Amino acid sequence: MRLVIARCSVDYAGRLTAHLPSAPRLILVKADGSVSIHADDRAYKPLNWMSPPCTLKEGTGEDEGVWTVVNKAGEKLIITMEEILHDSSHELGVDPGLIKDGVEAHLQELLADRIETLGEGYTLIRREYMTAIGPVDILCRDAEGQTVAVEIKRRGEIDGVEQLTRYLDLLNRDPHLAPVRGIFAAQEIKPQARVLATDRGINCQILDYDALRGIEDDKLRLF
């Protein structure tokens, strides 16, 4: 990544035209070829930019100090440098990506380890119980010995209820498991998803991530 802080003006010529008058700005040139111009008051959003694929040509001679960025559509971003205050390049390497705390797999692991929080007498059959259309997050038995399929989401929406419904349809065809009821568990459940789940006889359960980790009271709220 190349970081340039410069007093510059910027002109864009393409489907429309735009002009940024002279001012100090940050110019980012990334490894993917993209070029973006930033002010100090807009968080992450650039004032203007050119997305890849594009080419950057730095002027020489009479055009020294003029950068011309052209994309495959022929649109141009012309940056006229008046004074360069900083110019540095840095090799960042391959980014490992964002790792979110409390992703569904972690919620599944925590709930499986503390399956009794679903209710007294619950026992785990297994995590990732495979069906013909994919794995059920958790398969367990309640205190009466009935099989329970648990679908876990960070945010519970209608598509998650539909997914659990399909699992239940398959699981209830297995005489060794039937009858199987469902629990739709999430950190947040949308009202429409709750209505659909209730209509289909599926219980909804809010997962308190901190409680599962043992940070707060370890009781889940069952609705």
Side-chain angles (χ1 to χ4, degrees):
M1 179 182 289
R2 184 178 178 185
L3 307 176
V4 178
I5 299 175
R7 179 174 291 277
C8 62
S9 60
V10 183
D11 291 279
Y12 172 79
R15 289 165 292 181
L16 49 80
T17 59
H19 175 72
L20 292 172
S22 176
R25 297 188 176 94
L26 168 65
I27 303 166
L28 298 181
V29 183
K30 294 187 178 181
D32 62 4
S34 64
V35 178
S36 56
I37 296 94
H38 298 260
D40 200 21
D41 64 346
R42 295 194 175 205
Y44 64 90
K45 188 175 182 180
L47 297 166
N48 214 325
W49 68 94
M50 193 70 80
S51 300
C54 57
T55 58
L56 168 62
K57 180 181 178 181
E58 297 185 42
T60 58
E62 292 183 357
D63 293 329
E64 185 176 3
V66 178
W67 291 14
T68 303
V69 187
V70 184
N71 66 12
K72 63 180 181 179
E75 298 169 319
K76 292 183 180 181
L77 192 65
I78 300 170
I79 307 170
T80 303
M81 305 289 189
E82 299 173 13
E83 181 185 8
I84 294 180
L85 306 173
H86 175 86
D87 189 347
S88 64
S89 296
H90 307 271
E91 180 60 51
L92 302 185
V94 178
D95 191 90
L98 177 65
I99 300 175
K100 296 181 179 180
D101 188 27
V103 294
E104 290 168 15
H106 195 199
L107 287 168
Q108 180 194 121
E109 180 183 357
L110 288 169
L111 188 56
D113 286 343
R114 305 181 67 182
I115 197 66
E116 72 282 353
T117 56
L118 290 174
E120 186 177 351
Y122 272 71
T123 57
L124 178 69
I125 296 176
R126 66 166 298 166
R127 291 170 53 197
E128 299 287 332
Y129 186 89
M130 186 57 64
T131 73
I133 58 172
V136 177
D137 287 333
I138 290 178
L139 197 68
C140 57
R141 295 190 189 280
D142 62 19
E144 287 71 43
Q146 183 178 359
T147 309
V148 181
V150 184
E151 181 64 26
I152 298 171
K153 301 291 184 185
R154 284 176 61 85
R155 178 177 296 175
E157 300 186 9
I158 285 177
D159 58 349
V161 178
E162 295 284 6
Q163 183 180 2
L164 179 54
T165 300
R166 293 191 293 270
Y167 288 147
L168 290 171
D169 181 62
L170 282 176
L171 293 169
N172 274 300
R173 299 179 194 178
D174 186 339
H176 298 291
L177 297 175
V180 185
R181 64 181 181 88
I183 293 178
F184 187 52
Q187 291 178 289
E188 173 191 358
I189 299 177
K190 297 295 185 180
Q192 299 92 331
R194 188 182 297 278
V195 170
L196 181 61
T198 301
D199 182 68
R200 296 183 177 179
I202 295 171
N203 290 336
C204 290
Q205 184 149 355
I206 297 297
L207 296 178
D208 186 325
Y209 182 56
D210 287 337
L212 282 172
R213 294 170 64 196
I215 294 177
E216 297 178 351
D217 184 82
D218 65 356
K219 292 182 181 178
L220 297 180
R221 297 184 295 277
L222 181 61
F223 296 89

